Amino acid sequence: MAERPVIVAARRTPIGTAGQRLHAVPVDELAARALRAAHDDATAAVGALALADVVLGNCMGPGGNTARVASLAAGLGERVPGMTIDLQCGSGLAAILTAADSLVADSAGPRMRLAGGAESASTAPTRVRDGQPYSRAPFAPAGFADPGMGAAAEDLAVRRGISRSRQDAYALRSHGRAFATREAGGFDAELAPGGELPRDDGPRRMTAAVLDRFGPAFARQGTVTAGNSCRVSDGAAVVALVPESSRGAAPGLAIVAGAIVGCDPALPGWGPVPAVEEVLRRAGVSLDRVTAIEIVEAFAAQVLAVGDALGLSEGEHVDERLCAEGGSLALGHPWGASGAVLMVRLFSRLVRGGAPAGALGLATAAVGGGMGVAVLVEVVR
């Protein structure tokens, strides 16, 4: 029987708003900082284990295989290969699943993988077609709906009846919880060192009155605003995976199941619903059994639409398990890294937080083009 991959270390850089304190740090250096920290932690936890690969998600970088460049920059050695994955906002989680699958299939003996994601929106190159700059490549071909994620969130809010007041209340929840966690030092253990930004700059004291001042961002009479949407950000996050038999006494998160699914390209924010349903089906468990849940909070409207469908939210009520210490609405959304940030957060909430062996964690993200990704993990001690 194949061994389960176990995450034994999880680190991320502080997340910075695009154009601010991390604006001059290229994506490979952000990734290298998280790679070094995760590798050092894993080596301290399980001893020196051969490093088989580095797999990183990235959406808008310069190309040239960011994972390989970052691996070399991190000093991991010339013999360690690297692979870069683009699943848009789900790239970090997809990279972790890819590394986990590679570990299970490895016939060369017990070896470690480093996986995660990185994004520097600040240094992303300008894209040009026929001499004209454009903001993003298509998420779908001609003949399919291809909305931007903001417009898609607005449409999802309309279709699912998610009011402006609910969106603002959820954004206020995210900011309040992330700010309190940061001020209490709750993020400190997961942060990789970096001189420009010693801690996340995103969480701030937020009030309902401030949120109420924002106008609609994507439709004249819309409900999605800059206040209840995430900020474009810079950052990186990495986890270290080893075979379960190689973890020794080190606690960690075993990968139980993962799923990447498709959905209507017109409603990409809906992707976590079928992805979560599929990953729970594969694992043979119900959502009630899950202790901690993390979702990429790109838009409050999208989180609430997904939460309502999965039974995690209703009206003003939000399940305490969901982003209990805040999320992307407060911290920011470094696209290719955000899925991996979820896994770092689960590692902190469950492993560093002392959850018992057998406790389950769930991470999920919506993906442009109409997809969703979800990963289920289990605490091992």
Side-chain angles (χ1 to χ4, degrees):
M1 183 176 178
E3 289 196 70
R4 294 193 300 180
V6 176
I7 295 169
V8 294
R11 290 286 203 107
R12 65 178 179 87
T13 67
I15 297 171
T17 303
Q20 296 189 16
R21 293 177 68 178
L22 293 176
H23 75 279
V25 185
V27 65
D28 50 281
E29 176 54 30
L30 288 173
R33 294 174 185 182
L35 286 168
R36 282 190 290 262
H39 186 257
D40 288 349
D41 285 357
T43 300
V46 303
L49 199 62
L51 181 57
D53 203 359
V54 170
V55 187
L56 294 178
N58 179 253
C59 300
M60 301 290 285
N65 193 354
T66 294
R68 171 62 172 172
V69 176
S71 176
L72 291 169
L76 299 178
E78 296 178 359
R79 295 182 63 84
V80 178
M83 175 169 56
T84 305
I85 289 176
D86 179 0
L87 193 73
Q88 292 297 299
C89 300
S91 298
L93 279 178
I96 292 170
L97 286 179
T98 299
D101 288 344
S102 174
L103 187 152
V104 170
D106 194 350
S107 60
R111 298 191 293 171
M112 182 189 300
R113 269 87 177 157
L114 296 176
E119 202 74 56
S120 172
S122 296
T123 64
T126 299
R127 286 159 168 73
V128 177
R129 181 186 296 114
D130 296 329
Q132 298 298 317
Y134 64 96
S135 59
R136 67 166 175 88
F139 291 147
F144 289 83
D146 185 25
M149 295 301 280
E154 185 70 65
D155 193 26
L156 189 59
V158 171
R159 296 197 190 197
R160 304 299 298 184
I162 309 297
S163 68
R164 165 74 183 265
S165 63
R166 286 188 70 196
Q167 293 173 54
D168 283 357
Y170 186 86
L172 188 64
R173 174 188 188 267
S174 184
H175 275 282
R177 290 179 178 226
F179 184 86
T181 301
R182 187 189 69 179
E183 296 306 296
F187 297 133
D188 292 355
E190 65 192 39
L191 296 181
E196 303 88 352
L197 185 64
R199 64 178 191 168
D200 301 307
D201 72 0
R204 59 198 67 184
R205 294 189 185 277
M206 187 62 71
T207 66
V210 169
L211 287 170
D212 192 53
R213 296 186 193 128
F214 288 96
F218 303 102
R220 182 170 296 180
Q221 302 298 322
T223 59
V224 178
T225 74
N228 56 44
S229 305
C230 66
R231 289 180 312 285
V232 176
S233 304
D234 306 325
V238 172
V239 302
L241 301 102
V242 303
E244 191 160 15
S245 64
S246 299
R247 73 176 181 89
L253 297 175
I255 305 290
V256 176
I260 300 173
V261 305
C263 67
D264 185 352
L267 294 173
W270 189 250
V273 176
V276 168
E277 291 173 344
E278 177 62 16
V279 84
L280 294 175
R281 185 194 67 78
R282 292 181 185 181
V285 301
S286 69
L287 193 57
D288 291 342
R289 283 192 53 198
V290 179
T291 298
I293 302 168
E294 293 285 334
I295 185 171
V296 174
E297 293 178 343
F299 303 92
Q302 177 253 329
V303 175
L304 291 168
V306 168
D308 289 358
L310 295 175
L312 295 171
S313 58
E314 182 179 6
E316 296 302 313
H317 171 73
V318 177
D319 195 302
E320 282 296 317
R321 297 173 296 169
L322 181 63
C323 297
E325 296 175 333
S328 304
L329 286 168
L331 295 172
H333 182 9
W335 306 302
S338 292
V341 171
L342 301 185
M343 200 57 70
V344 176
R345 295 271 54 248
L346 285 178
F347 194 89
S348 285
R349 289 177 63 186
L350 296 171
V351 179
R352 295 185 178 105
L360 298 176
L362 176 68
T364 186
V367 179
M371 290 181 284
V373 56
V375 182
L376 187 71
V377 293
E378 178 185 354
V379 175
V380 291
R381 294 197 181 277

